[in-house]
Amino acid sequence: MLIAPSLLSCDFSRFGEEIRRMDEAGADYMHLDVMDGHFVPNITFGAPVIKYVRKFSDKVFDVHLMISEPLKYIDDFCDAGADLITFHIESDSDPLETIKKIKARGVKAGLVIKPKTPAESVFPYLDKIDMVLVMTVEPGFGGQSFMADMLPKVRALREEIKKRNLDVLIEADGGIGVQNIADCAEAGVDVAVAGTAVFKAENPKEAIMQLKQLG
Ligand code: DX5
Ligand code: ZN
């Protein structure tokens, strides 16, 4: 299981140092939550900020776009140094066009599904993407409770990916910690996002190690 700390829970006055700290603590991906106050009821940061903090780590910059019209901003996030861009299938950009745009820039592309969106909605795109991100909370805020009833969706995706012999990672995001990471792994999650569980831990390095052991 790969661990992707969500920087949403970090001290933003020291954003760069927080990324370095996660790098040294053994994070596999840096999960960067971009929110626009329109697609979700919260605002975080955009491409210019990611560009500034890019130099603090060589780990995978996993950019989770919770924005309207993601297609318009793909170039900005690629220029900022994203390695992987995931965007919501519920957003108003054409999924195929958006995937194409990301891939044309040599960046990995993924689709995100909110809790009410079925797994099957991404099936038509599975052969064109590198990742499916399954939300295990409603997107917008850190610190919410894990929705265990999302795990059947993970299982359905895992089965479909296996059946079609595809190379697509499954990421899960929201409320993940020591109490549920083993269930995530068992269902077929490859990458677990963890905000609160890592940043509110006394020792983030130990927290990441423990999540990896259990996952
Ligand atoms: C929620 C974000 C998540 C969130 C995870 O909209 O996409 O990445 O920060 O934080 P925790 O682990 O605290 O739920
Ligand atoms: Zn996220």
Side-chain angles (χ1 to χ4, degrees), residues 158-169:
R158 173 55 61 216
E159 237 170 71
E160 183 71 12
I161 290 165
K162 199 176 160 198
K163 192 173 86 189
R164 289 163 61 183
N165 207 9
L166 297 169
D167 192 15
V168 180
L169 291 174

Side-chain angles (χ1 to χ4, degrees), residues 90 113-119 121 135 137-139 147 150 153:
E90 306 89 357
I113 51 174
K114 294 208 274 187
K116 290 190 186 75
T117 306
S121 64
M135 291 307 300
V137 297
E138 284 295 340
M147 299 164 81
M150 294 300 115
K153 287 199 322 196

Side-chain angles (χ1 to χ4, degrees), residues 76-105:
D76 292 345
F77 288 100
C78 292
D79 290 340
D83 297 298
L84 161 68
I85 298 177
T86 61
F87 65 97
H88 279 260
I89 193 156
E90 306 89 357
S91 70
D92 41 10
S93 292
D94 179 69
L96 268 189
E97 221 183 307
T98 311
I99 292 163
K100 252 194 240 160
K101 176 117 196 174
I102 299 170
K103 303 288 276 186
R105 292 291 312 262

Side-chain angles (χ1 to χ4, degrees), residues 31 33 64 66 173:
H31 186 82
D33 289 302
H64 174 192
M66 285 161 273
D173 182 6

